[in-house]
């Protein structure tokens, strides 16, 4: 197949291009070329999707296109220039499109969506809800333009080359060992998807002509199961949400945070989605220990701007034990 990857130089885009090449396909990556290097073996075309006609350097027809865009104007320009020139279309969306983050066990088929972004709004970096609304708009644009569309609403993507440091924080923390400050309750749920598994499913979806809307994420697991997957000889100290909030520990990501932790009950449904449909349609998650080991092996620098510093964690644990 001739596959066009819009992007293909960072994390998921690179993984998709790499997987498509490994499967024997002819791969073209189209991007600005400022965020990363293309995968060896892929044809690279420089484009500027912020402008109408910005895909002018992309010539010919393609059996499949994969787009991971988050900006509605970029997708508008894409569909205007590529409609009629590609067969199967995969749009990688996000579980952030859902309006209800509190109800566990929701499915892609029935969960309510956020309203689409208004036409004048084109900045998905403005905030979490704006990002979700922009992704809703992007979904609608590709669904209207292409007859064969696979909408993959990805969950938390982890694994080698992850630029966010969220999963990497826990990999590095377990590798260091000792007493590990762990958020919430052991029975709380969490979900993720290895970037390579998401890429594998994306390429096979193009090969098989898969269409429809799915949540691209593994089945939920407990936090106890999640932390057990990292191995190591560390000791988990479970610290409840109220203490963390009172001591200015931030959720999800960023400095002084505990990554992958989200406040309950308002986010009880965010990492507890029912992904039976995706697993039945071909998503094949690998074991967590494999993802953790490969992520650790790929570290070039395990220090990130996400998570607690060692000093912050020690101070919090001291206060927790002295309460």
């Amino acid at each position: 197949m001739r596959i066009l990857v819009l992007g293909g130089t960072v994390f998921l885009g690179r993984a998709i291009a790499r997987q498509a090449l490994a499967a024997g396909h002819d791969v073209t990556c189209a991007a600005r070329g400022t965020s990363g290097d293309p995968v060896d073996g892929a044809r690279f075309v420089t484009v500027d999707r912020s402008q109408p006609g910005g895909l002018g350097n992309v010539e010919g027809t393609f059996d499949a296109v994969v787009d991971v865009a988050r900006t509605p104007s970029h997708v508008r320009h894409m569909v205007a220039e590529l409609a009629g020139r590609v067969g199967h279309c995969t749009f990688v969306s996000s579980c952030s499109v859902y309006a209800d983050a509190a109800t566990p066990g929701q499915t892609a088929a029935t969960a309510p969506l956020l309203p689409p972004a208004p036409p004048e709004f084109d900045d998905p970096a403005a905030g979490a809800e704006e990002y979700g609304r922009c992704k809703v708009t992007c979904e609608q644009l590709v669904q209207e333009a292409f007859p064969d569309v696979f909408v993959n609403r990805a969950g938390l993507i982890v694994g080698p080359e992850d630029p966010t440091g969220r999963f990497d924080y826990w990999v590095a923390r377990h590798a260091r060992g000792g007493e590990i400050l762990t958020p919430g309750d052991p029975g709380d749920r969490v979900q993720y998807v290895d970037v390579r598994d998401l890429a594998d499913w994306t390429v096979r979806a193009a090969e098989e002509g898969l269409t429809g809307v799915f949540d691209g994420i593994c089945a939920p697991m407990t936090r106890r199961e999640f932390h057990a997957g990292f191995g190591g000889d560390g000791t988990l100290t479970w610290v409840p949400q109220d203490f963390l909030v009172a001591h200015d520990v931030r959720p999800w990501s960023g400095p002084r945070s505990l990554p992958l932790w989200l406040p309950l009950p308002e986010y009880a449904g965010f990492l507890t989605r029912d992904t039976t449909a995706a697993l039945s349609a071909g998503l094949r998650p690998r074991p967590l220990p494999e993802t953790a080991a490969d992520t650790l092996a790929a570290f070039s620098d395990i220090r990130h701007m996400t998570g607690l510093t060692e000093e912050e964690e020690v101070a919090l644990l001291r206060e927790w034990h002295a309460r």
Side-chain angles (χ1 to χ4, degrees):
M1 299 177 68
R2 296 193 70 225
I3 298 179
L4 173 63
V5 180
L6 297 173
T9 61
V10 178
F11 200 34
L12 177 59
R14 280 179 60 83
I16 292 170
R18 188 181 292 119
Q19 179 63 33
L21 287 166
H25 302 300
D26 181 286
V27 178
T28 298
C29 295
R32 293 175 303 168
T34 60
S35 300
D37 297 322
V39 175
D40 289 342
R43 182 180 302 105
F44 181 74
V45 178
T46 303
V47 299
D48 181 3
R49 298 181 63 183
S50 66
Q51 302 297 323
L55 291 174
N57 290 339
V58 179
E59 300 177 346
T61 60
F62 297 87
D63 300 297
V65 62
V66 179
D67 195 1
V68 300
R70 59 176 63 190
T71 305
S73 63
H74 291 188
V75 178
R76 289 190 184 96
H77 299 156
M78 182 272 287
V79 299
E81 297 178 58
L82 295 183
R85 293 171 52 194
V86 301
H88 185 269
C89 174
T90 293
F91 180 71
V92 180
S93 188
S94 167
C95 286
S96 294
V97 300
Y98 295 114
D100 178 3
T103 304
Q106 296 181 80
T107 70
T110 60
L113 301 180
L114 291 167
E120 68 275 10
F121 187 82
D122 205 42
D123 182 13
E129 181 170 333
E130 289 79 6
Y131 169 77
R133 294 183 67 182
C134 285
K135 280 290 196 178
V136 171
T137 299
C138 294
E139 287 186 12
Q140 293 177 346
L141 290 167
V142 297
Q143 288 170 322
E144 292 167 359
F146 299 102
D148 297 320
V149 180
F150 168 45
V151 175
N152 185 348
R153 292 174 181 158
L156 173 71
I157 308 174
V158 305
E161 300 184 353
D162 177 7
T164 71
R166 291 174 299 202
F167 184 77
D168 293 20
Y169 172 83
W170 291 114
V171 173
R173 184 62 195 87
H174 280 269
R176 195 169 80 237
E179 184 182 11
I180 302 173
L181 194 160
T182 316
D185 184 89
D188 293 343
R189 312 289 273 181
V190 66
Q191 282 178 296
Y192 69 92
V193 63
D194 189 301
V195 65
R196 298 164 295 181
D197 299 334
L198 202 63
D200 170 68
W201 192 32
T202 299
V203 173
R204 285 187 291 107
E207 295 169 342
E208 299 164 9
L210 177 65
T211 61
V213 181
F214 300 88
D215 288 334
I217 191 169
C218 72
M221 65 180 66
T222 67
R223 286 200 175 274
R224 186 183 298 281
E225 293 169 329
F226 177 73
H227 285 282
F230 293 98
D233 57 2
T235 301
L236 304 182
T237 296
W238 297 92
V239 178
Q241 173 176 302
D242 291 348
F243 179 91
L244 298 175
V245 172
H247 289 77
D248 192 33
V249 178
R250 297 157 197 172
W252 195 243
S253 66
R256 197 177 169 81
S257 71
L258 282 171
L260 282 62
W261 164 59
L262 286 168
L264 302 178
E266 55 264 44
Y267 288 100
F270 190 75
L271 296 178
T272 59
R273 304 198 61 79
D274 181 346
T275 57
T276 303
L279 299 173
S280 298
L283 176 61
R284 301 184 296 211
R286 70 191 64 204
L288 175 56
E290 180 179 335
T291 299
D294 292 348
T295 301
L296 181 62
F299 277 161
S300 57
D301 183 352
I302 63 174
R303 294 169 296 174
H304 291 280
M305 293 303 293
T306 286
L308 299 174
T309 66
E310 187 171 352
E311 294 76 13
E312 288 170 341
E313 183 186 25
V314 168
L316 286 163
L317 285 168
R318 184 184 305 116
E319 291 193 51
W320 170 249
H321 290 305
R323 71 196 185 282

